[in-house]
Amino acid sequence: GDSVTQMEGPVTLSEEAFLTINCTYTATGYPSLFWYVQYPGEGLQLLLKATKADDKGSNKGFEATYRKETTSFHLEKGSVQVSDSAVYFCALKDSGGYQKVTFGTGTKLQVIP
Amino acid sequence: EAEVAQSPRYKITEKSQAVAFWCDPISGHATLYWYRQILGQGPELLVQFQDESVVDDSQLPKDRFSAERLKGVDSTLKIQPAELGDSAMYLCASSFPGQASEQYFGPGTRLTVT
């Protein structure tokens, strides 16, 4: 079945550092890929998405590129802020009829001033 | 801004007891999802509704879990009897039909079974 593998956390960075959170996937067909963010005490929020190979999703300074050849969707940000501290989930949506979403295990990011 | 409502936010129950969670999706969202998120893991889909009909409950432990959405609006997830391993965050999400990529999540119910 479909699966998503994320780098383990926690990731601790200083403010203004460069962020990369690795994500790879296994899926049949042509899935869509997503990053969700979960701030402390809140529900998950969609951060960005890409629906086909070579698409780049971007939002709030975060970017991720759908790489079919390496089955990857790594999350990047050039300069993190303390407010970016959260848990980040990589996910995929299968191309089947029910469009099931499969999540990775999450990567906790802590940004220190 | 419209939000998915869930209650209670926290629930502590003893094993073998019954427990129920409630979710009210965003108005107009015909698709409703229940997820279980064990600490340190990603959300796992338990059941998906389209209006009042279940379209996917393949991961729902049907011997103890049940879910209903009688009028196609709000939904209830029940566990009876609860087991220690059921301790987790239970998340509800909703979306427009065919818009699974645009799911809106509620804040969740954190269940602790003692």
Side-chain angles (χ1 to χ4, degrees), chain A residues 34 43 46 49 89 98-99 101 104, chain B residues 37 42 55 98 100-103 106:
Chain A
F34 312 90
L46 179 64
K49 67 179 180 181
F89 293 91
Y98 297 136
Q99 303 186 328
V101 177
Chain B
Q37 185 179 12
V55 297
S101 58
E102 301 285 349
Q103 293 182 42

Side-chain angles (χ1 to χ4, degrees), chain B residues 12-104:
Chain B
I12 300 174
T13 192
E14 295 182 348
K15 63 180 181 179
S16 80
Q17 295 299 304
V19 63
F21 315 127
W22 177 81
C23 173
D24 190 13
I26 292 173
S27 179
H29 281 190
T31 307
L32 185 147
Y33 315 80
W34 281 104
Y35 290 90
R36 177 172 59 187
Q37 185 179 12
I38 295 171
L39 188 63
Q41 298 183 21
E44 173 193 28
L45 181 69
L46 292 175
V47 61
Q48 177 179 340
F49 288 92
Q50 181 66 36
D51 297 308
E52 66 276 8
S53 300
V54 173
V55 297
D56 185 355
D57 63 356
S58 57
Q59 300 303 310
L60 188 71
K62 299 180 186 63
D63 57 335
R64 297 185 300 108
F65 286 64
S66 63
E68 61 183 15
R69 194 184 183 199
L70 294 175
K71 298 182 179 179
V73 182
D74 59 335
S75 176
T76 301
L77 178 69
K78 298 179 181 178
I79 308 175
Q80 181 173 15
E83 297 181 352
L84 295 177
D86 297 331
S87 294
M89 179 75 84
Y90 290 84
L91 299 169
C92 179
S94 68
S95 72
F96 288 113
Q99 297 292 321
S101 58
E102 301 285 349
Q103 293 182 42
Y104 291 81

Side-chain angles (χ1 to χ4, degrees), chain A residues 74-87:
Chain A
H74 304 321
L75 183 68
E76 297 181 337
K77 187 175 185 182
S79 176
V80 294
Q81 305 301 312
V82 172
S83 58
D84 294 326
S85 297
V87 181

